[in-house]
Amino acid sequence: MLGVLMAAAEPGRRRPHPQDVADLIGGAAAIRLRRPISPQSWMWWRDAARVAAVLGPLVLLIQQFPAAVRDIGMYVQRGPEPGVLSTGDVVEQTLRLLVYVAVMVLVWHDHRWIAAGLAWAWTTWFGADMIISSSYSWRFSELLPLGLLLLPYVAVAVLLTGTTRPQLGVQRVGRRRILIWFAIVLGAITTIQLWPAGGLLSGMLVPPCLAAIICGLAARSPRGRRSMVLLAPVFLPIVLMGVLFVATWSWWAEGSSTGITQGIVVMCAAPAVFVITVYLAGRRQAASAPPREAARP
């Protein structure tokens, strides 16, 4: 193309005309963007938003459940402990669980606006409670954890607000498949976090690796890949907050680099599990596909 442009240029010109360059770049961009912004791609994004709106509340429910069960169990056994566990903490944990159980039920029954309003109400209350009850001086080092904590709740509320008919996301994935994976992930994380013999590394490692397996299986389809992109603001801050908390506590409070090492292990293991899952799922899909000779007349 450059040779054609220069052959058609006036004598003495050593570079293509800016207008020709702009036309060439615009044509190349149009060709490469034709697939991502095609009507079929927009349909995939719409379906992916429905799937993300269904799975987002489940992610928050899984993340909150072990801590809520632990705190409620401690409160029942020991009662309130000043400075450790108060009645208000238990009430807040219980309300948070009930809110997202209600959001999940409302979404599955296609009551989107009620679910979105409930999600926004809880997000607003949770953010205001954190800001008012904390002595933040609005420095970046203090605002970053606050933003990571609030981002999953804001992302779920935005997904519920902007997605039409999220109940169709249940049909896309399959009600049975959602419930099975929800039970597996919730049971595994709860067991590890509540089991006295469970180590800190396993508690950090299992949630992102399970998420990596699910994302690897979802990466097989265009809708699944787009769902991963839309759900990234929900589950990535949860993983990062856990890693940052352990690494910071180990470094500043204990003067050890163990937490930093464990964080590095987690951040390397999750992508590795994702790549392995994508590879194995691709091989399985290729093995189950009909041979090329079967497609010929």
Side-chain angles (χ1 to χ4, degrees), residues 59-60 62-64 144-145 147-153 185 189 193 200-215 231-248 259-260 262-271:
V59 175
L60 294 181
I62 291 172
Q63 184 256 339
Q64 299 161 9
L144 180 61
L148 287 177
L149 281 173
L150 288 178
L151 181 58
Y153 299 94
V185 176
I189 294 177
Q193 294 193 8
L200 180 60
L201 180 59
S202 61
M204 293 173 57
L205 195 59
V206 170
C209 287
L210 287 174
I213 292 174
I214 296 174
C215 291
L231 282 173
V234 180
F235 58 79
L236 283 182
I238 296 174
V239 175
L240 290 176
M241 278 301 299
V243 172
L244 288 176
F245 175 77
V246 172
T248 304
I260 299 176
Q262 292 175 343
I264 295 173
V265 171
V266 172
M267 301 308 293
C268 294

Side-chain angles (χ1 to χ4, degrees), residues 6-25:
M6 293 308 301
E10 62 271 15
R13 176 175 288 278
R14 302 182 59 184
R15 295 182 179 180
H17 194 274
Q19 184 177 358
D20 295 332
V21 173
D23 290 340
L24 187 62
I25 295 175

Side-chain angles (χ1 to χ4, degrees), residues 66-139:
V69 172
R70 182 182 63 246
D71 291 347
I72 293 172
M74 291 175 57
Y75 185 83
V76 171
Q77 292 177 0
R78 307 176 186 175
E81 298 181 13
V84 178
L85 185 64
S86 65
T87 304
D89 296 331
V90 176
V91 171
E92 181 181 352
Q93 294 277 18
T94 306
L95 281 178
R96 191 182 306 182
L97 279 182
L98 294 177
V99 164
Y100 282 96
V101 168
V103 168
M104 182 184 70
V105 173
L106 290 170
V107 170
W108 281 45
H109 288 81
D110 221 7
H111 299 297
R112 173 173 66 105
W113 290 113
I114 302 177
L118 191 59
W120 277 116
W122 176 261
T123 302
T124 304
W125 184 88
F126 183 54
D129 180 66
M130 289 181 58
I131 294 173
I132 293 173
S133 61
S134 302
S135 58
Y136 283 101
S137 58
W138 307 110
R139 291 180 298 180

